[in-house]
Amino acid sequence: RDSSTSRGLGDVYKRQGYNVVGLERGEERSVADFLMGHDELKYNIRKDLMQKLTKDTLTFRNTINEDARPVRDESSLVLGTGTGGGGTHWGAQSYRYFPYDFEIRSKTVERYGEGKIPANMLLQDWGITYDEIEPYYTKFEQMAGISGEVDPLAGPRSAPYPTPPLVMAPQMKMFHDAADSMGYHPYRVPVGNLSEQYTNPDGETLNACQYCSFCGNYGCEYGAKSDPIVTVIPTAQKTGKFELRTHSLVTRILKEGNKVTGVRYRDVRSGEEFDQPADVVALTSYTFNNVRLLLMSDIGQPYDPTTGKGIIGRNYVDHHTILGATGFFDDKKFNNFIGTGAWGSGYNDFNADNFDHKDVDFIHGGQIEMHLMGNEPIINNPVPPDTPPWGKEFKEKSLYYFNRTLSVVSQRAFLPYKENYLSLDPVYKDEYGDPLLRVTFDYHDMDFKRQEFLSKKCVEILEAMGATTVVPHPMAEHFAGRFTFQHDAGGAIMGTSRSNSAVNTYLQMWDYNSLFVCGASAFPHFGPTNPTPTMAALTYRATEGMIQYLKNGGGLLEQPQ
């Protein structure tokens, strides 16, 4: 096993000599496709890079007693398609999870006792520790050229970030000064918007970010974002061992007995279907599609919230609401046009188990953070409360406050409950006649308690920064079906046994050993921040597992406990 950070996936292919076929439902893209692409209407409003919901979507309901309905609003469900997928349009926030996340149940019980965990919460350890996954975090960061400053409250690191943090903007300096004065530990957050030109261990060169603000929901015309189309895809293609087939929609996983033998896919242009045999199949699509393919292919037992039996679809979680507060500054003016998809600062004094939860009615927490993403004029129109929604006063205050407003929010953990899960919809189908995925999800008491606590922290720091007016963001009574942040997890979770997980810590299916399910679908809960580095770290480890599986002639890489 080679966890060396000096080697990347391309080198793995060269050394191992395996032939790999990649199937992508969308079109092929390159950096050239994004030149002169500073078009908010095209990309941020009409979602040009995203899957079209008229062809394929999901259905949603709050409880099992309700009828689910398809999501048709393209601002509510933004799923990437085409080469690079979500890695092309992501904002590039690149955090690690905390050691607490990987052993969350054990550490919670050890410190607070079983009574701290609600009876209907499906909380479990991941089966892997932070120390075990840490080398793979480093491998991802060096491949992606992550620019960052080490969080003083984070887990230990084996290497620094490969590039320095982005510059300290005046707004960020205000945030740091306020946090320091309150005794917190601010830092410039890690990002995949590179602070300087960088050549990664695979020989791929990424350029320096221009702070143009056309980042999240956009492809980067500068090649300055850690995007698969400028990193791992060209690395793999250069080996001559990787074939990428675009316009290829996988519809079923093929199997004989308890062995997966390949996949069936459809050419979305002609409608023709093909069977692709394989010694190993890796599902590497989005959480929703990973789970849907397993269910449609009759792999694993579907989860039933009534009986509690079954695994596939269980532990669904999402960062559905990222809330905090907005501050209006009458005596300060900022340049809010400049930005990236991730540029900013945060502190983690109220995250994970970094503070004593004995006197609060929740577990875990969230990062308090401020980001400068560039306020595009269509979707950003901040005005203070009690401003008329139209007319002369509205226009005047819109112009005045556009560069006098800052928001501080909290990304917080979301923990799994028995009632929140994924299943196949019995009524609605896609354009090919296959059932849509159905999401059943709503908030629980701890979600509100956690949000209330963290929202107050957001208000406090904006006040310390000198905001004239601070307006907290309210949390809705029920989740309303806006899957806005592309942070979905669970449904094919990892663990230590067949009874509590679909895959082992190599993301290998317990009952179909030649099938590996990579992505956030493996997360038993959603940690406090963006999932990409954790997904990537687990996938690097899974890749080593696939090679080990092939070398050993098959079999389980880990025996269930």
Side-chain angles (χ1 to χ4, degrees), residues 261-335:
T261 59
V263 297
R264 179 166 296 153
Y265 70 95
R266 177 182 288 111
D267 186 316
V268 297
R269 297 163 298 184
S270 67
E272 188 176 3
E273 287 193 327
F274 302 90
D275 286 355
Q276 174 61 53
D279 295 319
V280 168
V281 172
L283 297 190
T284 59
S285 59
Y286 194 69
T287 293
F288 291 141
N289 205 46
N290 276 356
V291 175
R292 185 180 179 221
L293 276 172
L294 292 173
L295 291 171
M296 290 198 304
S297 304
D298 294 321
I299 292 179
Q301 182 180 0
Y303 172 68
D304 183 341
T306 304
T307 64
K309 295 181 178 179
I311 292 295
I312 308 302
R314 178 178 180 262
N315 284 57
Y316 170 67
V317 283
D318 184 293
H319 281 153
H320 289 307
T321 50
I322 299 177
L323 303 172
T326 296
F328 296 86
F329 295 77
D330 286 332
D331 58 348
K332 294 182 175 68
K333 191 173 183 179
F334 316 111
N335 181 354

Coordinates of all heavy atoms in Angstrom, one line a residue, residues 261-335:
T261 N -20.7 -7.8 -12.2 CA -19.9 -8.1 -13.4 C -19.7 -6.9 -14.4 O -19.0 -7.0 -15.4 CB -20.5 -9.2 -14.2 OG1 -21.9 -8.8 -14.6 CG2 -20.6 -10.5 -13.3
G262 N -20.4 -5.8 -14.1 CA -20.3 -4.6 -15.0 C -21.5 -3.7 -14.9 O -22.2 -3.8 -13.9
V263 N -21.7 -2.9 -15.9 CA -22.8 -2.0 -15.8 C -23.5 -1.9 -17.2 O -22.9 -2.2 -18.2 CB -22.4 -0.5 -15.4 CG1 -21.8 -0.5 -14.0 CG2 -21.4 0.1 -16.4
R264 N -24.7 -1.5 -17.2 CA -25.5 -1.2 -18.4 C -25.6 0.3 -18.5 O -25.9 1.0 -17.6 CB -26.8 -1.9 -18.4 CG -27.7 -1.6 -19.7 CD -28.9 -2.5 -19.7 NE -28.4 -3.9 -19.9 CZ -29.0 -5.0 -19.4 NH1 -30.2 -4.9 -18.8 NH2 -28.5 -6.2 -19.6
Y265 N -25.3 0.8 -19.7 CA -25.4 2.3 -19.9 C -26.1 2.6 -21.2 O -26.1 1.8 -22.2 CB -24.1 3.0 -19.8 CG -23.1 2.7 -20.9 CD1 -23.0 3.6 -22.0 CD2 -22.2 1.6 -20.9 CE1 -22.1 3.4 -23.0 CE2 -21.3 1.4 -21.9 CZ -21.3 2.3 -23.0 OH -20.4 2.1 -24.0
R266 N -26.7 3.8 -21.3 CA -27.4 4.2 -22.5 C -26.7 5.4 -23.1 O -26.3 6.4 -22.4 CB -28.8 4.6 -22.1 CG -29.6 5.2 -23.3 CD -31.0 5.6 -22.8 NE -31.9 4.4 -22.5 CZ -32.3 4.1 -21.3 NH1 -31.9 4.8 -20.3 NH2 -33.1 3.0 -21.2
D267 N -26.5 5.4 -24.4 CA -26.0 6.6 -25.1 C -27.2 7.6 -25.2 O -28.2 7.3 -25.8 CB -25.5 6.2 -26.5 CG -24.9 7.4 -27.3 OD1 -25.5 8.5 -27.2 OD2 -23.9 7.2 -27.9
V268 N -27.1 8.7 -24.5 CA -28.2 9.6 -24.4 C -28.5 10.3 -25.7 O -29.6 11.0 -25.8 CB -28.0 10.6 -23.2 CG1 -27.9 9.9 -21.9 CG2 -26.8 11.5 -23.5
R269 N -27.6 10.2 -26.7 CA -27.9 10.9 -27.9 C -28.7 9.9 -28.8 O -29.7 10.4 -29.5 CB -26.6 11.2 -28.6 CG -25.8 12.3 -27.9 CD -24.4 12.3 -28.3 NE -23.7 11.1 -28.1 CZ -22.4 10.9 -28.4 NH1 -21.6 11.9 -28.8 NH2 -21.8 9.7 -28.2
S270 N -28.4 8.7 -28.9 CA -29.1 7.7 -29.8 C -30.1 6.9 -29.1 O -31.0 6.3 -29.7 CB -28.0 6.8 -30.4 OG -27.4 5.9 -29.4
G271 N -30.0 6.7 -27.7 CA -30.9 5.9 -27.0 C -30.4 4.4 -26.9 O -31.0 3.6 -26.3
E272 N -29.3 4.1 -27.6 CA -28.8 2.7 -27.7 C -28.2 2.3 -26.4 O -27.6 3.1 -25.7 CB -27.8 2.6 -28.8 CG -27.3 1.2 -29.1 CD -26.3 1.1 -30.2 OE1 -26.0 2.2 -30.8 OE2 -25.9 0.0 -30.6
E273 N -28.4 1.1 -26.0 CA -27.9 0.6 -24.7 C -26.7 -0.4 -24.9 O -26.7 -1.1 -25.9 CB -29.0 -0.2 -23.9 CG -30.0 0.8 -23.3 CD -30.9 0.1 -22.2 OE1 -31.1 -1.1 -22.4 OE2 -31.3 0.7 -21.3
F274 N -25.8 -0.4 -24.0 CA -24.6 -1.2 -24.0 C -24.3 -1.8 -22.7 O -24.6 -1.2 -21.6 CB -23.4 -0.4 -24.4 CG -23.5 0.4 -25.7 CD1 -24.0 1.6 -25.8 CD2 -23.1 -0.2 -26.9 CE1 -24.1 2.3 -27.0 CE2 -23.2 0.4 -28.1 CZ -23.7 1.7 -28.2
D275 N -23.7 -3.0 -22.6 CA -23.3 -3.6 -21.4 C -21.7 -3.5 -21.4 O -21.1 -3.9 -22.3 CB -23.7 -5.1 -21.3 CG -25.2 -5.3 -21.0 OD1 -25.8 -4.2 -20.8 OD2 -25.6 -6.4 -21.0
Q276 N -21.2 -3.0 -20.3 CA -19.8 -2.8 -20.1 C -19.3 -3.8 -19.0 O -19.6 -3.6 -17.9 CB -19.4 -1.4 -19.8 CG -17.9 -1.2 -19.4 CD -17.0 -1.5 -20.6 OE1 -17.2 -1.0 -21.7 NE2 -16.0 -2.4 -20.4
P277 N -18.6 -4.9 -19.4 CA -18.1 -5.8 -18.4 C -16.9 -5.2 -17.6 O -16.2 -4.3 -18.1 CB -17.7 -7.0 -19.2 CG -17.4 -6.5 -20.5 CD -18.3 -5.3 -20.8
A278 N -16.7 -5.6 -16.4 CA -15.6 -5.1 -15.6 C -15.3 -6.1 -14.5 O -16.2 -6.7 -13.9 CB -16.0 -3.7 -15.0
D279 N -14.0 -6.1 -14.1 CA -13.6 -6.9 -13.0 C -13.9 -6.2 -11.7 O -14.2 -6.8 -10.6 CB -12.1 -7.2 -13.0 CG -11.7 -8.0 -14.2 OD1 -12.4 -9.0 -14.5 OD2 -10.7 -7.7 -14.8
V280 N -13.9 -4.8 -11.7 CA -14.3 -4.0 -10.6 C -15.2 -2.9 -11.1 O -14.9 -2.3 -12.1 CB -13.1 -3.4 -9.9 CG1 -13.5 -2.3 -8.9 CG2 -12.3 -4.5 -9.1
V281 N -16.3 -2.6 -10.4 CA -17.1 -1.4 -10.7 C -17.0 -0.5 -9.6 O -17.2 -0.8 -8.4 CB -18.6 -1.9 -10.9 CG1 -19.5 -0.7 -11.0 CG2 -18.7 -2.8 -12.2
A282 N -16.8 0.8 -9.9 CA -16.8 1.9 -8.9 C -17.9 2.9 -9.2 O -17.8 3.5 -10.3 CB -15.4 2.6 -8.9
L283 N -18.8 3.0 -8.4 CA -19.8 4.1 -8.5 C -19.2 5.3 -8.0 O -18.9 5.4 -6.8 CB -21.1 3.7 -7.7 CG -21.9 2.5 -8.1 CD1 -23.3 2.5 -7.4 CD2 -22.2 2.4 -9.6
T284 N -19.2 6.4 -8.8 CA -18.5 7.6 -8.4 C -19.4 8.8 -8.8 O -18.9 9.9 -8.9 CB -17.1 7.8 -9.1 OG1 -17.3 7.7 -10.5 CG2 -16.2 6.6 -8.7
S285 N -20.7 8.6 -8.9 CA -21.6 9.7 -9.2 C -22.1 10.3 -7.9 O -21.6 10.0 -6.8 CB -22.8 9.2 -10.0 OG -23.5 8.2 -9.3
Y286 N -23.0 11.3 -8.0 CA -23.5 12.0 -6.9 C -24.2 11.1 -5.9 O -24.7 10.0 -6.3 CB -24.4 13.2 -7.4 CG -24.7 14.2 -6.3 CD1 -23.7 15.1 -5.9 CD2 -26.0 14.3 -5.8 CE1 -24.0 16.0 -4.9 CE2 -26.2 15.3 -4.8 CZ -25.2 16.1 -4.4 OH -25.5 17.1 -3.4
T287 N -24.3 11.5 -4.7 CA -25.0 10.7 -3.6 C -26.3 10.2 -4.1 O -26.6 9.0 -4.0 CB -25.2 11.6 -2.4 OG1 -24.0 11.9 -1.8 CG2 -26.1 10.9 -1.4
F288 N -27.2 11.0 -4.7 CA -28.5 10.6 -5.1 C -28.4 9.5 -6.1 O -29.2 8.5 -6.1 CB -29.3 11.8 -5.7 CG -29.7 12.8 -4.6 CD1 -29.6 14.2 -4.9 CD2 -30.1 12.5 -3.4 CE1 -30.0 15.1 -4.0 CE2 -30.5 13.4 -2.4 CZ -30.4 14.8 -2.7
N289 N -27.5 9.6 -7.1 CA -27.5 8.7 -8.2 C -26.8 7.4 -7.7 O -27.2 6.3 -8.1 CB -26.7 9.2 -9.4 CG -27.1 8.5 -10.7 OD1 -28.3 8.3 -10.9 ND2 -26.2 8.1 -11.5
N290 N -25.8 7.4 -6.8 CA -25.3 6.2 -6.3 C -26.3 5.4 -5.6 O -26.5 4.2 -5.8 CB -24.2 6.6 -5.2 CG -22.8 6.8 -5.8 OD1 -22.6 6.7 -7.0 ND2 -21.9 7.3 -4.9
V291 N -27.2 6.0 -4.7 CA -28.2 5.3 -4.0 C -29.3 4.8 -5.0 O -29.7 3.6 -4.9 CB -28.8 6.2 -2.9 CG1 -29.9 5.5 -2.2 CG2 -27.7 6.5 -1.9
R292 N -29.6 5.6 -5.9 CA -30.7 5.2 -6.9 C -30.3 4.0 -7.7 O -31.0 3.1 -7.9 CB -31.0 6.4 -7.8 CG -32.2 6.2 -8.7 CD -32.4 7.4 -9.6 NE -33.5 7.2 -10.5 CZ -33.4 7.6 -11.8 NH1 -32.4 8.2 -12.3 NH2 -34.5 7.4 -12.6
L293 N -29.0 4.0 -8.1 CA -28.5 2.8 -8.9 C -28.5 1.6 -8.1 O -28.9 0.5 -8.6 CB -27.1 3.1 -9.5 CG -27.1 3.9 -10.7 CD1 -25.6 4.3 -11.1 CD2 -27.7 3.1 -11.9
L294 N -28.1 1.7 -6.8 CA -28.2 0.5 -6.0 C -29.6 -0.1 -5.8 O -29.8 -1.3 -5.9 CB -27.6 0.8 -4.6 CG -26.1 1.1 -4.5 CD1 -25.7 1.6 -3.2 CD2 -25.2 -0.1 -4.9
L295 N -30.5 0.9 -5.6 CA -31.9 0.4 -5.4 C -32.5 -0.1 -6.7 O -33.2 -1.2 -6.7 CB -32.7 1.6 -4.9 CG -32.5 2.1 -3.5 CD1 -33.2 3.4 -3.2 CD2 -32.9 1.1 -2.5
M296 N -32.3 0.5 -7.8 CA -32.8 0.0 -9.1 C -32.2 -1.3 -9.5 O -32.8 -2.1 -10.3 CB -32.6 1.1 -10.2 CG -33.5 2.3 -10.0 SD -33.6 3.3 -11.5 CE -31.9 3.6 -11.9
S297 N -31.0 -1.6 -9.0 CA -30.3 -2.8 -9.4 C -30.5 -3.9 -8.4 O -29.9 -5.0 -8.5 CB -28.8 -2.5 -9.6 OG -28.6 -1.5 -10.5
D298 N -31.3 -3.7 -7.4 CA -31.6 -4.7 -6.3 C -30.4 -5.1 -5.6 O -30.1 -6.3 -5.4 CB -32.4 -5.9 -6.9 CG -33.7 -5.5 -7.4 OD1 -34.4 -4.7 -6.8 OD2 -34.1 -6.0 -8.5
I299 N -29.5 -4.2 -5.3 CA -28.3 -4.5 -4.5 C -28.4 -3.9 -3.1 O -28.6 -2.7 -2.9 CB -27.1 -3.9 -5.3 CG1 -26.8 -4.6 -6.6 CG2 -25.8 -3.9 -4.4 CD1 -25.7 -4.1 -7.4
G300 N -28.4 -4.8 -2.1 CA -28.6 -4.4 -0.8 C -30.1 -4.3 -0.4 O -31.0 -4.2 -1.3
Q301 N -30.4 -4.3 0.9 CA -31.8 -4.3 1.3 C -32.2 -2.8 1.5 O -31.6 -2.1 2.3 CB -31.9 -5.0 2.6 CG -33.4 -5.1 3.2 CD -33.5 -5.8 4.5 OE1 -32.5 -6.3 5.0 NE2 -34.7 -5.9 5.0
P302 N -33.3 -2.4 0.9 CA -33.7 -1.0 1.1 C -34.1 -0.8 2.5 O -34.7 -1.6 3.2 CB -35.0 -0.9 0.1 CG -34.8 -2.0 -0.9 CD -34.1 -3.1 -0.1
Y303 N -33.8 0.4 3.0 CA -34.1 0.8 4.4 C -35.6 1.1 4.5 O -36.3 1.7 3.7 CB -33.4 2.1 4.7 CG -33.7 2.7 6.1 CD1 -33.4 2.0 7.3 CD2 -34.4 3.9 6.2 CE1 -33.8 2.5 8.5 CE2 -34.7 4.4 7.4 CZ -34.4 3.8 8.5 OH -34.8 4.3 9.8
D304 N -36.2 0.6 5.6 CA -37.6 0.8 6.0 C -37.6 1.5 7.3 O -37.3 0.9 8.4 CB -38.3 -0.6 6.1 CG -39.8 -0.4 6.4 OD1 -40.2 0.6 6.9 OD2 -40.5 -1.4 6.2
P305 N -38.1 2.8 7.3 CA -38.1 3.5 8.6 C -39.1 3.0 9.6 O -38.9 3.3 10.8 CB -38.4 4.9 8.2 CG -39.2 4.8 6.9 CD -38.6 3.6 6.2
T306 N -40.0 2.3 9.2 CA -41.1 1.7 10.1 C -40.5 0.6 10.9 O -40.7 0.5 12.2 CB -42.3 1.3 9.3 OG1 -42.8 2.4 8.5 CG2 -43.4 0.8 10.3
T307 N -39.8 -0.3 10.3 CA -39.2 -1.4 11.0 C -37.8 -1.2 11.4 O -37.3 -1.9 12.3 CB -39.2 -2.7 10.1 OG1 -38.4 -2.5 8.9 CG2 -40.7 -3.0 9.6
G308 N -37.1 -0.3 10.8 CA -35.7 0.0 11.1 C -34.8 -1.0 10.4 O -33.6 -0.9 10.5
K309 N -35.3 -1.9 9.5 CA -34.5 -2.9 8.8 C -34.0 -2.3 7.5 O -34.7 -1.4 6.9 CB -35.3 -4.1 8.6 CG -35.6 -4.9 9.9 CD -36.4 -6.1 9.6 CE -36.7 -6.9 10.9 NZ -37.5 -8.1 10.7
G310 N -32.9 -2.9 7.0 CA -32.4 -2.4 5.7 C -31.4 -1.3 5.9 O -31.3 -0.7 6.9
I311 N -30.5 -1.2 4.8 CA -29.4 -0.3 4.9 C -29.5 0.8 3.8 O -29.2 2.0 4.0 CB -28.1 -1.0 4.8 CG1 -27.9 -1.9 6.0 CG2 -26.9 -0.1 4.6 CD1 -27.7 -1.1 7.3
I312 N -29.8 0.4 2.5 CA -29.7 1.3 1.4 C -30.8 2.4 1.5 O -32.0 2.1 1.5 CB -29.8 0.5 0.1 CG1 -28.8 -0.6 0.0 CG2 -29.6 1.5 -1.1 CD1 -27.4 -0.3 0.2
G313 N -30.3 3.6 1.6 CA -31.2 4.8 1.8 C -31.2 5.3 3.2 O -31.6 6.4 3.4
R314 N -30.6 4.6 4.1 CA -30.6 5.0 5.5 C -29.5 6.1 5.8 O -28.6 6.3 5.0 CB -30.2 3.8 6.3 CG -30.0 3.9 7.8 CD -29.8 2.5 8.4 NE -29.6 2.5 9.9 CZ -28.4 2.5 10.5 NH1 -27.3 2.5 9.7 NH2 -28.3 2.4 11.8
N315 N -29.7 6.9 6.8 CA -28.8 7.9 7.3 C -28.6 9.1 6.2 O -27.5 9.6 6.1 CB -27.4 7.3 7.6 CG -27.3 6.6 8.9 OD1 -28.1 5.7 9.2 ND2 -26.4 7.0 9.8
Y316 N -29.7 9.4 5.5 CA -29.6 10.5 4.6 C -29.5 11.8 5.4 O -30.3 12.1 6.4 CB -30.9 10.6 3.7 CG -30.9 11.9 2.9 CD1 -30.0 12.2 2.0 CD2 -31.9 12.9 3.2 CE1 -30.0 13.4 1.3 CE2 -31.9 14.1 2.6 CZ -30.9 14.3 1.6 OH -30.9 15.5 0.9
V317 N -28.6 12.7 5.0 CA -28.3 14.0 5.7 C -27.9 15.0 4.6 O -27.5 14.6 3.5 CB -27.2 13.9 6.8 CG1 -27.7 13.3 8.0 CG2 -26.0 13.1 6.2
D318 N -28.0 16.3 5.0 CA -27.7 17.4 4.0 C -27.5 18.7 4.8 O -28.1 18.9 5.8 CB -28.8 17.5 3.0 CG -28.5 18.5 1.9 OD1 -28.4 19.7 2.3 OD2 -28.4 18.2 0.8
H319 N -26.6 19.5 4.2 CA -26.5 20.9 4.7 C -27.6 21.7 4.1 O -27.4 22.7 3.3 CB -25.2 21.5 4.3 CG -24.0 21.1 5.2 ND1 -22.7 21.0 4.8 CD2 -24.0 20.7 6.5 CE1 -21.9 20.6 5.7 NE2 -22.7 20.4 6.8
H320 N -28.9 21.4 4.4 CA -30.0 22.1 3.7 C -30.0 23.6 4.0 O -30.5 24.4 3.2 CB -31.3 21.4 4.1 CG -31.5 20.1 3.5 ND1 -31.4 19.8 2.2 CD2 -31.8 18.9 4.1 CE1 -31.6 18.5 1.9 NE2 -31.9 17.9 3.1
T321 N -29.6 24.0 5.2 CA -29.7 25.4 5.6 C -28.4 25.8 6.2 O -27.9 25.3 7.1 CB -30.8 25.6 6.6 OG1 -30.6 24.6 7.7 CG2 -32.2 25.4 6.0
I322 N -27.8 26.8 5.5 CA -26.6 27.4 6.0 C -27.0 28.9 6.4 O -27.1 29.7 5.5 CB -25.4 27.4 5.0 CG1 -25.1 25.9 4.7 CG2 -24.2 28.1 5.5 CD1 -24.0 25.7 3.6
L323 N -27.2 29.1 7.7 CA -27.8 30.4 8.1 C -26.8 31.1 9.1 O -25.9 30.5 9.6 CB -29.1 30.1 8.8 CG -30.2 29.4 8.0 CD1 -31.4 29.0 8.8 CD2 -30.6 30.2 6.8
G324 N -27.1 32.3 9.4 CA -26.4 33.1 10.4 C -27.0 34.4 10.5 O -28.1 34.5 11.0
A325 N -26.3 35.5 10.1 CA -26.9 36.8 10.2 C -26.2 37.7 9.2 O -25.1 37.5 8.7 CB -26.6 37.4 11.6
T326 N -26.9 38.8 8.8 CA -26.4 39.9 7.9 C -26.2 41.2 8.7 O -27.1 41.6 9.4 CB -27.3 40.0 6.7 OG1 -27.4 38.8 6.0 CG2 -26.8 41.2 5.8
G327 N -25.0 41.8 8.5 CA -24.8 43.1 9.1 C -24.8 44.2 8.1 O -24.2 44.1 7.0
F328 N -25.4 45.3 8.4 CA -25.4 46.5 7.6 C -24.5 47.5 8.3 O -24.7 47.9 9.5 CB -26.8 47.0 7.5 CG -27.7 46.1 6.7 CD1 -28.4 45.1 7.4 CD2 -27.9 46.2 5.4 CE1 -29.2 44.2 6.8 CE2 -28.8 45.3 4.7 CZ -29.4 44.3 5.4
F329 N -23.6 48.1 7.5 CA -22.5 49.0 8.0 C -22.8 50.4 7.4 O -22.5 50.6 6.2 CB -21.1 48.5 7.7 CG -20.8 47.2 8.3 CD1 -21.3 46.0 7.8 CD2 -19.9 47.2 9.4 CE1 -20.9 44.8 8.4 CE2 -19.6 46.0 10.0 CZ -20.1 44.8 9.5
D330 N -23.3 51.3 8.2 CA -23.5 52.7 7.7 C -22.3 53.5 7.5 O -22.2 54.4 6.7 CB -24.5 53.4 8.6 CG -25.9 52.9 8.5 OD1 -26.3 52.4 7.5 OD2 -26.7 53.0 9.5
D331 N -21.2 53.2 8.3 CA -20.0 54.0 8.2 C -18.8 53.3 7.6 O -17.7 53.8 7.7 CB -19.7 54.5 9.7 CG -19.4 53.3 10.6 OD1 -19.8 52.1 10.2 OD2 -18.9 53.5 11.7
K332 N -19.1 52.2 6.9 CA -18.0 51.5 6.2 C -18.4 51.1 4.8 O -19.6 50.8 4.6 CB -17.6 50.2 7.0 CG -16.9 50.5 8.3 CD -16.5 49.2 9.0 CE -15.7 49.5 10.3 NZ -16.6 50.0 11.3
K333 N -17.5 51.1 3.9 CA -17.8 50.7 2.5 C -16.7 49.6 2.1 O -15.5 49.8 2.3 CB -17.8 51.9 1.6 CG -18.4 51.5 0.2 CD -18.5 52.8 -0.6 CE -19.2 52.5 -2.0 NZ -19.3 53.7 -2.8
F334 N -17.2 48.6 1.5 CA -16.3 47.5 1.0 C -16.4 47.3 -0.5 O -17.3 47.8 -1.1 CB -16.7 46.2 1.7 CG -17.1 46.3 3.2 CD1 -18.4 46.2 3.6 CD2 -16.1 46.6 4.1 CE1 -18.7 46.3 4.9 CE2 -16.4 46.7 5.4 CZ -17.7 46.5 5.9
N335 N -15.4 46.6 -1.0 CA -15.5 46.1 -2.4 C -16.1 44.7 -2.4 O -15.3 43.7 -2.3 CB -14.1 46.1 -3.0 CG -14.1 45.7 -4.5 OD1 -15.2 45.3 -5.0 ND2 -13.0 45.8 -5.2

